[in-house]
Amino acid sequence: MDDTTEPAATTGLTHEDRMMLDFEHSWWKYAGAKETAIREQFALTSTTYYRRLNWIIDQPEALEHDALLVRRLRRLRTARHEQRSARRLGFVGER
């Protein structure tokens, strides 16, 4: 998959998009590091994989495919973003 292109929003999820969501649902079942499994399963770098995954979880069809997983991934993404923002602003560690 070309990491610079994304399917048109009107086409829904591709088979590979659904496979990526399924992988996220049960990646811990694969032996070895997650990054290795990503490379083996999808022939993508982890950066490209996560960029694509973030696009996928913003699609309404992703919620239809696995709502619990997509909501969890969105929450994790938001929490990581907030942590990064807090670190940049110097709020981490202060209480």
Side-chain angles (χ1 to χ4, degrees):
M1 174 182 300
D2 182 349
D3 65 4
T4 60
T5 61
E6 294 169 347
T10 58
T11 62
L13 299 180
T14 66
H15 176 69
E16 186 173 52
D17 295 341
R18 289 187 298 277
M19 286 177 52
M20 290 173 76
L21 288 172
D22 294 342
F23 174 81
E24 277 300 310
H25 187 80
S26 59
W27 69 266
W28 47 269
K29 293 180 182 178
Y30 297 91
K34 185 176 182 181
E35 287 74 21
T36 302
I38 289 169
R39 234 180 350 268
E40 290 173 359
Q41 287 266 163
F42 302 104
L44 298 172
T45 65
S46 56
T47 301
T48 301
Y49 172 85
Y50 287 113
R51 184 180 318 135
R52 178 73 184 176
L53 182 63
N54 277 308
W55 181 87
I56 292 168
I57 66 174
D58 286 334
Q59 305 311 304
E61 297 86 0
L63 277 173
E64 294 171 16
H65 182 75
D66 191 338
L68 290 175
L69 172 70
V70 170
R71 286 188 195 112
R72 181 174 61 83
L73 292 173
R74 287 177 179 177
R75 277 193 311 271
L76 290 169
R77 178 178 63 186
T78 299
R80 284 191 300 271
H81 177 73
E82 290 171 354
Q83 288 172 347
R84 283 191 304 271
S85 294
R87 272 196 305 271
R88 265 181 271 174
L89 296 173
F91 294 128
V92 174
E94 295 178 17
R95 292 207 180 218

